[in-house]
Amino acid sequence: MTATMADVAREAGVSASTVSRVFSLPDTVRADTRERVLAVARRLDFTPNRAASSLARGRTRTLGLLVPDVANPYYAEIVKAVQHRARAKDHALFLADVGDDPGDGFELAQAMARQTDGLLLAGPRMTDDMVRALARAGPVALIGARLAETDSAYAELGTGMRHVVRHLAALGHRRIVYVNGTRTARTAGHRQPVREACDEHGVELVEQLGPFDLTFDNGVAAADLVPVSGATAVIAHNEMVAHGVAGGLARQGRSIPGDFSLVTVDDTFMARAIHPALTALHIPLDLMSTRGVDLLLRRIDDPDGEPRHAALATSLVVRSSTAHPGGPAA
């Protein structure tokens, strides 16, 4: 006969509700009690009915993840990391590629919220008011973006962008151009710390090129404007744009880093996949995604708690795409 929860409770000397919490909310049970219950469950070959347990608590044990572009390696890495963490926490994942249109993203998020326990919004293009509306309706956490009223896991880019400028200034660059991202991207605010760092190091920041949608083709278009800017170094908003800039400059017969140094933000495998490999501001996507899942699960369990934020440090990874102006690679 198949063992039941009542059998485990009787053998372990605890209540059936304690057995239920051991399998559904283990952190709420004392360690010695938890181990005793698990030992009895193994001995009796007891397997909890996850579906029934979730139904009793009004949970689906599924999370929703919305990304602007699943083909972008940045978001592909987030999807992989979120899925891995969700599975480790015994949750399934629904994924939606919502594009850059704020209205489309909001409508898809509303639909997904009705089928999941909570939503993860990665680099959302929605307005702040849209995000707030979703958070009022149910559990929401942001990945790669910050909103004061919403749980958020994000990279602390201000310090990182200053490291980028300091690196270029140390190489001797005195005029830098920044290729900006789309206006709907919350990380479009990179520019302010870049400007502050340029002022600090006596470097001129050329008025930003863009905003551009975050695609390879728009990076190529930006490359047409780089030579006339008078800059000797380029900071690209992300790797898709950086690869386009590199390709566009190559088509003009210009070299990296011989004619222009190039730095990207993101640092997925793509930064190492071309020649020369790109100097990059590394964002810890795996850790950021893991923190986002944990924040959402905590919000599901504590819907009225204060918003929590995880600001993760970035690091500058110097490769072959930056050098002294007109000189050998650094």
Side-chain angles (χ1 to χ4, degrees), residues 38-258:
L38 291 173
V40 171
R42 286 192 294 269
R43 178 163 56 81
L44 298 181
D45 196 25
F46 168 74
T47 302
N49 187 326
R50 299 292 191 187
S53 177
S54 297
L55 185 61
R57 297 195 308 275
R59 300 274 184 86
T60 65
R61 298 200 74 80
T62 59
L63 307 177
L65 172 62
L66 294 92
V67 300
D69 182 8
V70 74
N72 184 325
Y74 174 89
Y75 293 110
E77 290 199 11
I78 287 177
V79 170
K80 183 176 181 180
V82 167
Q83 180 171 284
H84 183 270
R85 187 60 170 178
R87 185 184 298 123
K89 292 293 185 177
D90 198 25
H91 281 68
L93 185 70
F94 288 169
L95 173 66
D97 186 326
V98 298
D100 282 329
D101 185 87
D104 289 346
F106 184 61
E107 290 180 6
L108 279 168
Q110 288 179 307
M112 186 176 282
R114 292 190 287 269
Q115 306 172 56
T116 61
D117 294 334
L119 298 179
L120 292 157
L121 309 180
R125 303 298 191 250
M126 287 174 263
T127 66
D128 289 351
D129 285 342
M130 289 176 178
V131 174
R132 293 186 185 104
L134 291 172
R136 285 193 297 270
V140 170
L142 304 182
I143 296 176
R146 187 184 190 281
L147 187 62
E149 308 95 318
T150 308
D151 296 310
S152 312
Y154 59 97
E156 201 293 290
L157 292 170
T159 300
M161 297 301 278
R162 288 179 174 86
H163 289 326
V164 170
V165 173
R166 182 160 62 240
H167 168 65
L168 294 173
L171 290 173
H173 295 279
R174 292 293 173 263
R175 189 171 171 88
I176 297 172
V177 63
Y178 173 54
V179 182
N180 198 13
T182 175
R183 292 188 189 279
T184 57
R186 280 176 167 75
T187 47
H190 292 357
R191 186 186 178 208
Q192 185 59 32
V194 171
R195 178 172 294 285
E196 292 172 356
C198 285
D199 291 342
E200 178 182 344
H201 293 284
V203 175
E204 183 179 358
L205 178 65
V206 178
E207 284 303 312
Q208 66 184 13
L209 303 184
F212 291 98
D213 287 338
L214 305 179
T215 65
F216 178 89
D217 288 341
N218 282 322
V220 173
D224 291 336
L225 306 175
V226 168
V228 298
S229 71
T232 58
V234 182
I235 301 173
H237 179 88
N238 77 342
E239 282 182 359
M240 298 291 281
V241 172
H243 279 259
V245 170
L249 291 175
R251 293 176 192 179
Q252 300 171 27
R254 303 176 189 275
S255 69
I256 297 173

